[in-house]
């Protein structure tokens, strides 16, 4: 039995959200018929994290796009299995496998790990272990599989260097090109060159549409990485084209915006001009005030306005300049006054706590900035909210701070609490990433190979997803550190700047000598005096033009008592467009049977956007496509008869159906579509009967008499579970028909007609397990197909199209 067959019967039916392990997303590579002969090489891109976060890693898409352009390379993806999936793999002794072809890791010539954080290292060990591969590179001499690591960002992998055949820190494109030219087991001898990921960003970011996940993921949007250089107008056009090609309704820009200055401002301006009526939302990184323009933000705000996000770095100008932030704090307050005047009501401020040479007076200034921002919001008499993120500063390798001390978690917590205690405002909320996680990440980065025993010990004790705050267990790590007898104090202590700590290498585009120069010039010789408390009076005196904005708005309204009059938005009544409501029948095939119902509908929404169907949107803060869903289809089922209603802005045309089918992933197809006339009920409320076919194997212990016996009963009471609650339900009225069909070859098919809505409700699995007494685990492995949906009116069975 092949691994694919085993997984279909023993893995996918039993895991939570199986679509995370099945692949076949829109935009992914299909290798089922891609090759008439075996490829020259099989490469797996491995992200040591859950699919939920790993699929959001932009660097994964860059590498995937690169290999998709090479016909001789079969490139697939691998993610760390969640806890439930790992338990099944271990209990059934199944190997970890890839998404595209369900191949075990040992079938690949090369595994390329993309590692975004030192907190992912326990997952690296787990993936190698589940993949049936020796952990150490020295132990894999007899294996066909080579294992490489690509650090994503400023990640130091020296602690796990012995796990990999090579850690790549140079020009990624040159190294990947050698993956194509080299035979699978040719010895390595690559000399890194400069630029790191930059060439991949420039050349491969937009060559293919991104992979669109079915399941809800951590960042369900298009993520764009800022390249080393760009032309604002050209880059804005590329982002706009990628949004249209992907169907995403939101995009985010990531990168070091400080080094782009006016080019970044020009990019935002160009995006605002292109996308102001495109119905997409934009999420920019937290920006310093000198790079934020409200005019451009207004054009990029679709539906409910998101929070304005400011990266202020530190409370004092002295520390801000050390971080490379050069702006006057009054610039921030002036911009904030303008934002409140334009009805931006949600504000997010980002500071770092624990910076070198930081004192309590610097922390006082953070509190004063936050308090003044909150007071400024009240001057406009409207409800507003301010969320303040205090991020623990950890000196990273390959930066000018790499010689500075890693402060103890207790001291970082004290500084965070110090700021919180001085801001007692009801509209201000504080959040802080886990300080224990941040400190551990810094120690793993700085500790070098001495930390490998700690990582192994933590992994053996159950550490898996340490970059997830809800999964991080500090006690497990502290026990692993104690068992290793490593002196963390020595690792965390500030190092002399003359010491050779972490040589960045040519791939980082900077030398240790340059880092020393940057660190020595980070702080001025004389510390600037704190500005002192901020008050509205200070702002008015410093910026007279702001006074007109602050002192004018609705002062009398703010002092009045009682409920404010409700605002009524004047909108014109739109005339009904004929033939604008359409009912669609669609098919769900075997390839996507493990995709849930809501995930299917999200997929359709994005396919509608890609196909440029003129769909109508709801009004309100979060506009959504006007879609009425049909009765949900259970996970694991296939169907020929699913329905949903779609509201259009113009009359329906036959070409819409063809365009939509072109944008659907394999396994989905729209069978037919017809306009709906008049004011009819939603498709879900009309349908009240579903017909199912269940394929049974030859050994199934069921006879036609058993089906007839059920139909002759007056009452059939089952136990229905919902979470921890159970209740007894009589489902006999909802069992409309049962028929067993046996072929000459011995195969058996059970046909069911079951009620929905006003005809009662019973699920096929409930009939099989509690009426026909099939084993519940066996029921999960059966292939159940929804053949038809009907609207029963008296003695008549009507198609959903016949009642529209």
């Amino acid at each position: 039995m092949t691994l694919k067959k085993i997984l279909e019967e023993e893995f996918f039916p039993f895991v939570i959200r199986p679509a995370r392990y099945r692949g076949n997303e829109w935009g992914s590579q299909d290798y089922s018929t891609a090759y008439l002969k075996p490829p020259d090489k099989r490469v797996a891109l491995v992200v040591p994290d859950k699919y939920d976060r790993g699929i959001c890693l932009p660097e994964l898409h860059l590498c995937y796009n690169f290999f998709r352009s090479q016909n001789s390379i079969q490139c697939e993806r691998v993610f760390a299995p969640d806890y439930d999936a790992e338990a099944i793999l271990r209990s059934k002794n199944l190997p970890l496998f890839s998404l595209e072809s369900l191949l075990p890791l040992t079938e690949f010539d090369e595994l390329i790990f993309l590692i975004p954080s030192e907190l992912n290292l326990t997952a690296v060990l787990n993936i190698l272990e589940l993949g049936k591969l020796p952990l150490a590179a020295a132990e894999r001499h007899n294996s066909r599989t080579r294992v490489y690591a690509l650090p994503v960002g400023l990640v130091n992998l020296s602690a796990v260097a012995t796990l990999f055949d090579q850690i790549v820190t140079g020009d990624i494109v040159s190294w990947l090109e050698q993956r194509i030219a080299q035979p699978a087991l040719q010895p390595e001898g690559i000399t890194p060159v400069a630029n790191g990921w930059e060439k991949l960003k420039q050349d491969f970011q937009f060559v293919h549409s991104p992979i669109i996940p079915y399941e809800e993921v951590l960042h369900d949007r298009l993520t764009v990485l800022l390249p080393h250089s760009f032309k604002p107008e050209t880059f804005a056009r590329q982002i706009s084209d990628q949004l249209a090609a992907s169907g995403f309704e939101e995009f985010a820009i990531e990168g070091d915006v400080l080094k782009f200055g006016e080019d970044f401002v020009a990019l935002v301006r160009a995006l605002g001009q292109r996308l102001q009526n495109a119905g997409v939302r934009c999420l920019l990184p937290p920006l310093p005030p000198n790079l934020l323009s409200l005019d451009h933000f207004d054009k990029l705000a679709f539906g409910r306005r998101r929070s304005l996000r400011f990266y202020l770095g530190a409370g004092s100008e002295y520390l801000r300049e050390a971080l490379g932030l050069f702006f006057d704090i009054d610039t921030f307050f002036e911009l904030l006054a303008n934002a409140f005047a334009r009805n931006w009501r949600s504000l997010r401020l980002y500071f770092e706590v624990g910076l070198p040479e930081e004192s309590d007076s610097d922390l006082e200034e953070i509190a004063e900035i936050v308090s003044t921002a909150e007071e400024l919001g009240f001057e406009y008499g409207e409800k507003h909210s301010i969320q303040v993120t205090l991020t623990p500063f950890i000196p990273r390798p390959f930066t000018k701070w790499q010689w500075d001390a890693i402060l103890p978690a207790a001291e970082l917590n004290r500084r965070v609490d110090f700021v919180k205690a001085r801001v007692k405002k009801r509209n201000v909320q504080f959040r802080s990433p886990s300080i224990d996680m941040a400190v551990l990440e810094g120690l793993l980065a700085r500790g070098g190979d001495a930390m490998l025993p700690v990582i192994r010990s933590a992994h053996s004790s159950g550490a898996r997803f340490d970059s997830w705050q809800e999964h991080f267990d500090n006690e497990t790590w502290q026990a692993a550190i104690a068992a290793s007898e490593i002196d963390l104090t020595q690792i965390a202590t500030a190092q002399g700047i003359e010491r050779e700590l972490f040589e960045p290498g040519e791939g980082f585009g900077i030398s240790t000598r340059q880092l020393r120069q940057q660190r020595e010039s980070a702080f001025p010789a004389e510390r600037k005096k704190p500005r002192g408390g901020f008050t509205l009076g200070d702002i008015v005196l410093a910026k007279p033009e702001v006074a007109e904005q602050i002192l004018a708005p609705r002062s009398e309204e703010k002092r009045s008592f009682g409920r404010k009059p409700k605002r009524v938005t004047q909108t014109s009544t739109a005339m009904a467009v004929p033939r604008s409501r359409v009912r669609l029948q669609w098919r769900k095939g075997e390839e996507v049977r493990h995709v849930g119902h809501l995930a299917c509908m999200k997929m359709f929404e994005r396919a509608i956007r890609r196909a440029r169907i003129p769909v109508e949107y709801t009004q309100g803060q979060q506009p959504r496509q006007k879609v009425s869903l049909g009765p949900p289809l259970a996970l694991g089922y296939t169907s020929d008869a699913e329905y949903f209603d779609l509201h259009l802005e113009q009359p329906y045309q036959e070409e819409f159906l063809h365009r939509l089918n072109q944008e659907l992933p394999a396994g989905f197809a729209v069978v037919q579509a017809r306009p709906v006339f008049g004011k009819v009920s939603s498709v879900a409320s009309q349908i009240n009967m579903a017909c199912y076919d269940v394929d049974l194997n030859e050994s199934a212990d069921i006879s036609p008499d058993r089906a007839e016996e059920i139909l002759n009963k007056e009452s059939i009471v089952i136990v229905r579970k919902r979470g921890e609650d159970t209740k007894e339900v009589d489902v006999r009225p909802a069992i409309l028909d049962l028929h067993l069909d046996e072929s000459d070859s011995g195969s058996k098919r059970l046909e069911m007609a079951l009620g929905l809505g006003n005809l009662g409700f019973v699920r096929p699995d409930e009939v099989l397990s509690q009426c026909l007494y099939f084993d519940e685990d066996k029921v999960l492995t059966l292939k159940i197909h929804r053949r038809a949906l009907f609207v029963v009116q008296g003695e008549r069975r009507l198609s959903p199209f016949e009642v529209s």
Side-chain angles (χ1 to χ4, degrees):
M1 186 181 295
T2 64
L3 177 61
K4 181 177 180 180
K5 179 73 171 174
I6 295 172
L7 293 173
E8 291 287 354
E9 295 183 359
E10 300 184 18
F11 181 80
F12 293 122
F14 303 100
V15 296
I16 300 171
R17 297 167 61 200
R20 295 184 292 174
Y21 309 100
R22 194 60 184 89
N24 196 45
E25 312 101 318
W26 190 87
S28 64
Q29 195 79 345
D30 179 14
Y31 290 108
S32 58
T33 58
Y35 295 102
L36 299 178
K37 64 177 183 178
D40 293 342
K41 184 182 291 187
R42 288 192 176 97
V43 174
L45 298 174
V46 186
V47 181
D49 208 336
K50 294 183 190 181
Y51 178 92
D52 310 48
R53 177 179 282 168
I55 193 64
C56 306
L57 190 67
E59 289 79 5
L60 169 69
H61 296 266
L62 293 178
C63 293
Y64 198 73
N65 285 345
F66 172 84
F67 282 115
R68 286 174 70 179
S69 62
Q70 312 299 324
N71 294 329
S72 61
I73 302 293
Q74 180 170 329
C75 178
E76 307 196 22
R77 295 164 294 146
V78 178
F79 299 94
D82 212 338
Y83 292 106
D84 65 308
E86 179 187 344
I88 294 175
L89 293 175
R90 291 188 183 276
S91 65
K92 297 183 179 295
N93 196 30
L94 297 174
L96 185 59
F97 52 88
S98 63
L99 266 66
E100 279 75 3
S101 299
L102 306 182
L103 289 174
L105 302 194
T106 51
E107 292 294 316
F108 288 90
D109 300 298
E110 296 177 355
L111 303 181
I112 302 177
F113 279 81
L114 305 176
I115 305 177
S117 167
E118 290 84 0
L119 294 177
N120 295 113
L121 297 182
T122 52
V124 171
L125 293 174
N126 208 41
I127 288 173
L128 292 174
E129 194 174 88
L130 292 172
K132 313 293 185 183
L133 287 165
L135 297 184
E139 299 171 2
R140 293 195 293 267
H141 290 306
N142 297 327
S143 172
R144 65 176 284 184
T145 307
R146 292 290 186 94
V147 182
Y148 305 106
L150 295 183
V152 177
L154 302 176
V155 180
N156 180 25
L157 300 180
S158 59
V160 291
T162 58
L163 303 184
F164 301 105
D165 293 278
Q166 184 184 9
I167 297 174
V168 182
T169 59
D171 178 11
I172 307 300
V173 171
S174 296
W175 185 83
L176 290 176
E177 287 174 345
Q178 294 204 26
R179 313 273 43 79
I180 300 170
Q182 288 179 333
L185 295 178
Q186 182 174 327
E188 301 295 334
I190 300 173
T191 302
V193 296
N195 296 328
W197 292 90
E198 294 303 329
K199 187 170 175 57
L200 269 180
K201 295 179 191 177
Q202 294 278 8
D203 297 347
F204 293 95
Q205 185 158 208
F206 301 114
V207 297
H208 295 286
S209 295
I211 300 168
I212 313 298
Y214 293 119
E215 292 290 337
E216 183 178 352
V217 295
L218 191 65
H219 302 303
D220 201 8
R221 56 181 177 243
L222 174 69
T223 301
V224 179
L225 296 176
L226 289 173
H228 181 69
S229 61
F230 58 85
K231 294 180 179 179
E233 289 290 341
T234 302
F235 201 55
R237 175 182 53 78
Q238 291 173 324
I239 294 174
S240 177
D241 293 345
Q242 191 81 323
L243 282 167
S246 65
F248 277 118
E249 57 276 0
E250 181 176 284
F251 73 100
I253 297 178
E254 293 185 359
D256 184 6
V257 300
L258 296 180
K259 68 181 181 182
F260 294 106
E262 289 302 318
D263 281 345
F264 181 78
V265 175
L267 172 63
V268 176
R269 182 189 306 116
L271 287 170
Q273 293 170 350
R274 283 182 170 272
L275 301 175
Q276 60 179 322
N277 297 316
V280 295
R281 292 178 289 272
C282 175
L283 185 64
L284 298 179
L287 300 173
N290 55 323
L291 291 183
L292 194 149
S293 169
L294 293 176
D295 290 334
H296 307 149
F297 263 74
D298 284 334
K299 294 179 181 179
L300 290 172
F302 171 63
R304 179 176 62 87
R305 289 187 172 187
R306 295 260 174 128
S307 300
L308 282 177
R309 309 199 304 168
F310 291 92
Y311 175 61
L312 301 180
S316 65
E317 184 178 0
Y318 178 74
L319 290 180
R320 282 198 297 274
E321 291 183 358
L323 292 172
L325 300 171
F326 299 94
F327 62 86
D328 181 34
I329 196 64
D330 285 332
T331 302
F332 163 68
F333 289 125
E334 180 181 2
L335 185 58
L336 195 55
N338 278 308
F340 285 136
R342 297 188 185 195
N343 292 320
W344 289 88
R345 294 291 168 240
S346 182
L347 178 67
R348 296 191 180 188
L349 307 180
Y350 295 80
F351 297 92
E352 297 193 57
V353 174
L355 291 160
E357 299 194 24
E358 182 182 71
S359 64
D360 285 357
S361 64
D362 299 304
L363 302 177
E364 288 273 11
E365 292 196 61
I366 293 178
E368 291 167 358
I369 291 173
V370 174
S371 298
T372 304
E374 200 262 356
E375 292 171 9
L376 188 57
F378 269 113
E379 286 298 313
Y380 288 84
E382 295 281 352
K383 183 179 179 181
H384 64 279
S385 63
I386 300 176
Q387 185 183 93
V388 182
T389 299
L390 302 175
T391 302
F393 176 82
I394 302 296
R396 297 291 307 171
F398 317 120
T399 70
K400 65 183 178 183
W401 309 112
Q402 64 180 352
W403 294 277
D404 288 282
I406 301 175
L407 295 181
E411 172 59 20
L412 289 170
N413 276 306
R414 185 198 71 82
R415 299 190 186 195
V416 169
D417 293 339
F418 182 94
V419 177
K420 291 181 179 179
R422 281 154 179 77
V423 182
K424 299 296 185 181
K425 304 291 185 179
R426 65 180 183 179
N427 288 341
V428 177
Q429 294 181 335
F430 285 92
R431 66 177 297 272
S432 180
S434 171
I435 289 177
D436 290 329
M437 287 174 59
V439 171
L440 175 63
E441 187 177 19
L443 293 173
L444 291 174
R446 181 175 283 187
D449 55 8
M451 298 299 289
L452 181 58
V454 178
I455 297 169
R456 284 179 175 267
S457 177
H459 168 254
S460 64
S461 298
R464 294 292 184 269
F465 304 110
D466 302 293
S467 60
W468 294 70
Q469 191 159 337
E470 59 266 37
H471 297 313
F472 177 76
D473 185 357
N474 192 47
E475 293 183 2
T476 297
W477 281 96
Q478 293 305 317
I481 292 170
S484 67
E485 299 181 353
I486 295 177
D487 185 4
L488 292 184
T489 305
Q490 183 177 358
I491 295 175
T493 301
Q495 310 294 314
I497 198 171
E498 71 283 351
R499 286 196 57 188
E500 296 289 341
L501 284 184
F502 308 106
E503 176 58 47
E506 296 181 11
F508 289 92
I510 194 170
S511 66
T512 302
R513 180 180 59 82
Q514 292 171 310
L515 292 179
R516 284 197 184 96
Q517 292 174 347
Q518 291 180 5
R519 179 62 185 88
E520 289 171 345
S521 60
F523 295 102
E526 294 184 3
R527 185 178 177 87
K528 297 181 181 179
K529 293 182 180 180
R531 169 173 168 169
F534 300 100
T535 67
L536 291 178
D538 293 335
I539 302 172
V540 171
L541 291 174
K543 298 283 185 178
E545 65 275 15
V546 183
E548 298 178 5
Q549 301 171 359
I550 296 177
L551 300 179
R554 298 181 297 279
S555 57
E556 293 302 323
E557 179 183 336
K558 186 179 68 170
R559 295 188 181 93
S560 62
F561 295 94
R563 181 177 296 177
K564 295 181 181 180
K566 185 176 181 180
R567 290 186 177 181
V568 178
T569 303
Q570 298 292 333
T571 57
S572 58
T573 303
M575 296 182 62
V577 180
R579 293 170 53 88
S580 62
R581 183 175 173 185
V582 184
R583 182 158 295 173
L584 298 96
Q585 178 186 354
W586 57 281
R587 179 185 298 126
K588 183 180 181 183
E590 181 68 26
E591 304 95 323
V592 289
R593 61 188 288 243
H594 297 297
V595 179
H597 179 71
L598 293 180
C600 289
M601 296 319 302
K602 190 156 199 167
M603 178 279 304
F604 267 107
E605 289 178 4
R606 288 176 176 163
I608 288 168
R609 291 178 63 87
R610 291 195 297 269
R612 292 178 169 83
I613 306 296
V615 63
E616 188 176 349
Y617 281 80
T618 61
Q619 301 297 315
Q621 291 187 336
Q622 291 183 311
R624 304 291 300 178
Q625 293 180 9
K626 283 192 175 182
V627 177
S628 301
L629 309 182
L633 183 68
L635 186 67
Y637 293 13
T638 56
S639 177
D640 283 331
E642 298 306 295
Y643 295 87
F644 68 90
D645 289 349
L646 184 65
H647 295 253
L648 303 176
E649 292 181 329
Q650 64 185 58
Y652 169 72
Q653 302 174 31
E654 291 293 335
E655 66 162 325
F656 292 168
L657 180 63
H658 174 68
R659 280 158 46 184
L660 182 57
N661 272 322
Q662 285 185 319
E663 300 299 334
L664 294 177
F668 291 104
V670 177
V671 181
Q672 56 180 323
R674 295 182 186 176
V676 177
F677 299 97
K679 293 184 178 180
V680 298
S681 303
S682 66
V683 63
S685 64
Q686 290 179 317
I687 294 172
N688 55 6
M689 189 179 80
C691 296
Y692 298 90
D693 294 335
V694 185
D695 290 330
L696 306 173
N697 57 33
E698 300 175 9
S699 62
D701 185 16
I702 183 176
S703 65
D705 293 339
R706 178 59 183 150
E708 189 69 24
E709 180 184 339
I710 291 176
L711 294 177
N712 290 332
K713 288 186 176 182
E714 293 185 0
S715 175
I716 300 176
V717 178
I718 68 169
V719 177
R720 181 168 290 163
K721 298 180 180 179
R722 288 189 176 181
E724 298 181 356
D725 298 330
T726 60
K727 67 176 181 178
E728 293 186 344
V729 182
D730 183 5
V731 298
R732 176 60 189 87
I735 303 177
L736 306 178
D737 191 20
L738 287 179
H739 175 70
L740 184 66
D741 183 21
E742 295 186 80
S743 67
D744 296 337
S745 62
S747 62
K748 301 176 182 179
R749 170 176 291 182
L750 181 65
E751 299 175 356
M752 303 182 189
L754 306 179
L756 296 170
N758 60 0
L759 295 183
F761 173 70
V762 63
R763 300 193 307 266
D765 62 291
E766 292 175 330
V767 175
L768 292 165
S769 62
Q770 299 194 55
C771 301
L772 297 173
Y773 306 117
F774 279 67
D775 179 78
E776 289 188 2
D777 286 348
K778 176 64 177 175
V779 171
L780 291 174
T781 65
L782 295 175
K783 292 187 177 181
I784 302 176
H785 180 74
R786 185 143 79 184
R787 173 170 30 91
L789 291 171
F790 291 105
V791 179
V792 178
Q793 297 178 349
E795 299 297 323
R796 302 171 63 201
R797 289 186 179 182
L798 303 176
S799 159
F801 287 123
E802 295 177 304
V803 296
S804 61

